[in-house]
Amino acid sequence: MAVAEAQLYAKVSNKHRSRSTSALLEPLLAKGFPAHIAQKALVATGQKTTEDAAKWLHSHCNDPSLDDPIPQEYALYLCPTGRLHSRLQDFWKESKRQCGKNRAHEVFPHVTLCDFFTCEDQKVELLYDVLKRVGDRFSRSFPPSISLTLHASPSYLGFFIDGSQANVLKEFAVAFSSEASALADCHVKPSLKQFHLTLAHKFYPHHQKTLEQLAKCINPREPCQWVAALYSRDMRFVHYQRLRALFQYKPQNIDELLINAGDLIYVNPTQQSDVSEGWVIGTSHRTGCRGFLPENYTERAHECDTWVRHREYAFVTAPKPFTQAEKEPNVKLNGEAHNPSMSRSVTNVLSLQNAALRRAVLVIRHGERVDQVFGKSWLQQCLTADGKYYRADLNFPSSLPKRRDSMKQFECDPPLSCCGIFQSRLIGEALLDQEVTVSCVYSSPALRCVQTAQHILQGLRLNQKVKIRVEPGLFEWTKWEANKVIPNFMTVAELVEASYDIDTNYRGNFPLSSLVPSESYEEYVSRSSAVIKQIITACPSKGKGVILIMGHSCSLASLTRPLTGLPSRDRGDFAQMVQKIPSLGMCLCEELQEENKWQMVNPPVKTLTHGANAAFNWRNTIMED
């Protein structure tokens, strides 16, 4: 048992447990469920209905922690509803699109009244009683409207609540904490620091201006009803990451996890070091079971997605009268006055900012390579006794391009598989559907990257119209080369002879001779930063269009972070991040020329996800007894 888990068990093992039952509990007891398990099911479903609890018990029938005495953690939040909530959600969505995810996106808009505390399952209903009783007592003194004042700093943006209104909220939080602690035998701590509603937290300083402009589009006097809501979370997984399943996955081995589309998975980042590439080990929120699952079947979820909403108390408030100017404040964007009433959503307000857009850089990882599927000895499977290539599996390419040196050089510079070729062309067709205009293409000298660029251009119907510029400086971190030497890449002449659309007039910023075997991480970061700056300088700054860069998994971070002004990742974090980037994974940066900066935005198309398909021998499988 892990030390942290042992501490959790010790925390609750000596507590006295009451035997009170509720109307919801009795039907579950009648069905034969033990009291402590039935109470756990009710708490896990927010004490809504017996049917919800029974369904939870059914899905958790194989949960190894079903008998664990660990309770839930609870927090009391003051949450806005109505039009103000809608405007805050618009801000959440647009700030994520413009500036990427920050810490505030993990939780819905709220004001913290009481920090998280533990409460035994059989005493949760006492918390509901306290919330109702204290809410009734404060309903008349609750502010008819709450004034929100915008506050900004290089790492925080939010609305603050001051004065007498904050004092009423503080008294309400203290009253709830005091009565809940006494009745439910738990330690509830009210939030006594300045009350605030966070809009953005722990973002990069150069995003502050954009976030402030977005925040000023929120009218804090929008009609709103405030609700004091009680939430719970599983205290075992507080520091875990959360993933959401995009597709169903049926286990093929006993140590794999069954997931359905929409399932939430808890993943401990510290337990992933020995997991195979492309897989993670996690615990299902729906079933409580643990096992391996393919990471590309999932996406990142928010922290609060696994929380359970219990009871709430709605305060009836009347909006304070205000003038037309207050209703529709003029906000200056890029020096020009703008009235939000002309465009009710924050997204449309940003059209003024997007007018400054000039260029974009799309960095894509190459498609599936043959050694990904067939291992490092793939070439040996495809050579006849006299050294000629043949197609040993339909996922091998139908032929290999001619090269003047030994065919064995393909072992260090492998081509795409047939699936990789299909993937690349499919991405090109998707970019065409989105009307993406590619102005120039740069590629790593690795054959798999050149081939990916070629087939994307074919999907875009730009082959022979846009030439590929082979840039040695885009090659991946050389320390990861298995043979500790720089591969012998195909020459430009050989690539042209093999019918690849290569720009023969282009001279790379980094000659092949400058690539150093087993370079340090700092050397690789410096090379990547230099090459992306030189590519941007070489491409026209006035013409709109996408600069397509075909690279490796490490290219997505090493090229985009210096472009957007972000520091390089820690070496350990960088290695873990690279393992999570799938074939054809991509990042898009857009230029805001008037602000002289680049920003990361959503790519024009989604990543292609596909499953593994093992080799099949009909004789051994079908005929064997």
Side-chain angles (χ1 to χ4, degrees):
M1 183 187 300
V3 174
E5 291 179 350
Q7 291 173 345
L8 290 176
Y9 279 91
K11 190 174 181 180
V12 299
S13 59
N14 296 323
K15 284 206 171 188
H16 171 71
R17 297 184 176 275
S18 68
R19 298 186 176 274
S20 63
T21 62
S22 68
L24 292 176
L25 180 62
E26 290 172 356
L28 296 174
L29 297 178
K31 292 180 180 181
F33 292 110
H36 69 288
I37 291 179
Q39 286 167 336
K40 176 177 283 193
L42 287 170
V43 166
T45 55
Q47 300 248 26
K48 300 294 190 303
T49 66
T50 301
E51 290 73 19
D52 287 342
K55 184 178 179 181
W56 185 93
L57 287 165
H58 176 73
S59 60
H60 282 258
C61 60
N62 295 317
D63 184 350
S65 66
L66 200 57
D67 283 316
D68 288 354
I70 300 175
Q72 294 275 302
E73 284 187 319
Y74 297 82
L76 185 64
Y77 290 152
L78 186 67
C79 304
T81 63
R83 283 169 56 183
L84 177 59
H85 178 263
S86 298
R87 297 294 172 262
L88 291 168
Q89 292 288 35
D90 287 342
F91 171 87
W92 245 249
K93 181 179 179 180
E94 193 58 30
S95 65
K96 188 175 181 180
R97 190 187 77 83
Q98 287 288 312
C99 304
K101 187 176 179 180
N102 63 66
R103 188 68 180 86
H105 290 117
E106 290 290 337
V107 186
F108 43 81
H110 70 279
V111 177
T112 302
L113 296 177
C114 297
D115 297 323
F116 275 102
F117 60 92
T118 59
C119 180
E120 295 179 64
D121 294 342
Q122 67 272 28
K123 296 180 180 178
V124 173
E125 287 192 66
L126 297 174
L127 298 180
Y128 303 164
D129 295 340
V130 171
L131 179 59
K132 174 68 168 59
R133 187 163 57 251
V134 176
D136 288 343
R137 195 159 70 238
F138 277 82
S139 61
R140 292 186 178 181
S141 60
F142 195 85
S145 65
I146 294 180
S147 298
L148 302 174
T149 305
L150 187 63
H151 172 80
S153 73
S155 63
Y156 177 85
L157 183 71
F159 288 120
F160 277 25
I161 304 172
D162 297 307
S164 59
Q165 297 175 342
N167 291 334
V168 173
L169 298 183
K170 194 170 295 185
E171 291 171 5
F172 174 80
V174 170
F176 174 86
S177 301
S178 177
E179 294 193 27
S181 298
L183 279 177
D185 188 27
C186 51
H187 180 63
V188 186
K189 183 179 178 182
S191 180
L192 298 179
K193 55 187 177 182
Q194 187 170 25
F195 286 116
H196 57 276
L197 191 155
T198 300
L199 297 176
H201 182 41
K202 292 188 177 179
F203 49 84
Y204 290 105
H206 67 275
H207 287 150
Q208 182 180 351
K209 181 180 177 182
T210 301
L211 291 169
E212 282 190 59
Q213 287 179 330
L214 289 172
K216 289 175 182 177
C217 296
I218 304 172
N219 181 1
R221 293 177 176 269
E222 289 276 15
C224 172
Q225 183 179 43
W226 292 91
V227 172
L230 197 63
Y231 285 86
S232 73
R233 68 183 182 185
D234 193 322
M235 62 191 298
R236 296 173 299 166
F237 304 114
V238 169
H239 301 296
Y240 282 46
Q241 292 178 349
R242 292 152 187 84
L243 302 178
R244 185 187 307 278
L246 298 171
F247 315 100
Q248 183 186 57
Y249 179 76
K250 295 182 178 180
Q252 301 178 24
N253 296 290
I254 194 171
D255 58 353
E256 294 176 0
L257 182 66
L258 171 67
I259 57 174
N260 293 329
D263 279 2
L264 293 160
I265 314 297
Y266 297 107
V267 173
N268 187 345
T270 65
Q271 296 177 352
Q272 308 302 315
S273 56
D274 297 328
V275 179
S276 301
E277 181 178 353
W279 292 77
V280 294
I281 185 168
T283 301
S284 170
H285 174 70
R286 179 176 61 85
T287 66
C289 297
R290 190 168 184 264
F292 293 93
L293 66 148
E295 189 172 18
N296 63 350
Y297 276 49
T298 66
E299 64 179 359
R300 286 291 297 271
H302 294 149
E303 177 184 337
C304 64
D305 288 346
T306 55
W307 293 0
V308 178
R309 186 168 178 134
H310 290 258
R311 298 297 185 268
E312 63 183 41
Y313 188 93
F315 294 97
V316 179
T317 60
K320 178 182 176 181
F322 43 79
T323 66
Q324 186 69 18
E326 288 177 318
K327 290 181 182 178
E328 299 176 348
N330 286 333
V331 179
K332 284 194 174 183
L333 296 180
N334 295 332
E336 296 185 9
H338 178 75
N339 192 327
S341 67
M342 297 172 60
S343 172
R344 303 308 290 179
S345 72
V346 178
T347 303
N348 293 334
V349 171
L350 285 170
S351 61
L352 291 174
Q353 291 179 317
N354 291 334
L357 181 64
R358 292 296 179 268
R359 293 178 293 173
V361 172
L362 182 61
V363 184
I364 305 182
R365 185 194 180 190
H366 57 77
E368 180 185 87
R369 46 195 268 189
V370 290
D371 57 335
Q372 260 182 277
V373 185
F374 301 103
K376 296 297 181 184
S377 61
W378 67 273
L379 191 59
Q380 299 174 20
Q381 305 172 42
C382 299
L383 295 180
T384 61
D386 56 354
K388 293 182 179 179
Y389 175 82
Y390 76 99
R391 197 177 190 181
D393 185 282
L394 285 179
N395 201 20
F396 282 113
S398 57
S399 61
L400 295 178
K402 293 181 181 179
R403 52 188 306 164
R404 294 181 179 85
D405 51 17
S406 169
M407 190 178 290
K408 284 185 65 65
Q409 298 300 332
F410 284 120
E411 289 184 342
C412 296
D413 186 23
L416 294 179
S417 66
C418 273
C419 284
I421 293 171
F422 169 74
Q423 288 173 334
S424 305
R425 195 165 298 160
L426 195 63
I427 290 294
E429 292 171 355
L431 292 171
L432 179 64
D433 289 341
Q434 295 299 316
E435 300 181 352
V436 173
T437 303
V438 172
S439 58
C440 49
V441 180
Y442 291 82
S443 173
S444 161
L447 177 58
R448 55 193 180 274
C449 296
V450 174
Q451 289 180 318
T452 302
Q454 177 77 13
H455 291 292
I456 286 180
L457 287 174
Q458 288 179 359
L460 278 164
R461 300 177 187 171
L462 290 176
N463 48 311
Q464 299 182 350
K465 296 179 182 178
V466 178
K467 300 291 186 179
I468 302 169
R469 300 173 180 178
V470 178
E471 173 53 67
L474 292 173
F475 188 58
E476 65 182 340
W477 186 11
T478 60
K479 183 176 180 180
W480 287 340
E481 283 301 299
N483 296 328
K484 304 302 179 184
V485 295
I486 305 300
N488 287 331
F489 302 113
M490 292 180 65
T491 65
V492 167
E494 289 173 330
L495 292 170
V496 171
E497 187 179 345
S499 300
Y500 295 111
D501 299 319
I502 305 298
D503 185 347
T504 56
N505 295 320
Y506 178 74
R507 297 293 178 266
N509 296 297
F510 286 78
L512 280 171
S513 59
S514 69
L515 294 180
V516 181
S518 299
E519 66 187 334
S520 68
Y521 177 59
E522 291 72 22
E523 289 172 330
Y524 170 67
V525 168
S526 177
R527 166 163 64 90
S528 299
S529 179
V531 75
I532 189 61
K533 290 177 182 177
Q534 290 170 355
I535 287 175
I536 295 303
T537 302
C539 293
S541 60
K542 293 184 178 180
K544 291 183 180 180
V546 171
I547 303 168
L548 179 60
I549 298 181
M550 202 57 52
H552 306 265
S553 54
C554 51
S555 304
L556 271 68
S558 63
L559 297 178
T560 59
R561 290 182 74 86
L563 185 61
T564 55
L566 301 180
S568 60
R569 280 181 173 269
D570 176 82
R571 178 174 174 172
D573 293 339
F574 179 78
Q576 284 190 354
M577 177 274 300
V578 165
Q579 295 178 9
K580 299 178 180 180
I581 297 175
S583 299
L584 276 303
M586 64 181 73
C587 286
L588 181 67
C589 295
E590 288 181 344
E591 182 185 33
L592 296 176
Q593 195 175 50
E594 292 183 3
E595 299 181 29
N596 192 29
K597 71 176 185 178
W598 293 76
Q599 63 179 3
M600 192 90 76
V601 296
N602 287 330
V605 299
K606 292 186 177 181
T607 303
L608 171 68
T609 303
H610 63 90
N613 191 47
F616 171 64
N617 185 306
W618 66 269
R619 188 183 302 278
N620 294 343
T621 305
I622 306 300
M623 303 299 292
E624 192 177 59
D625 292 332

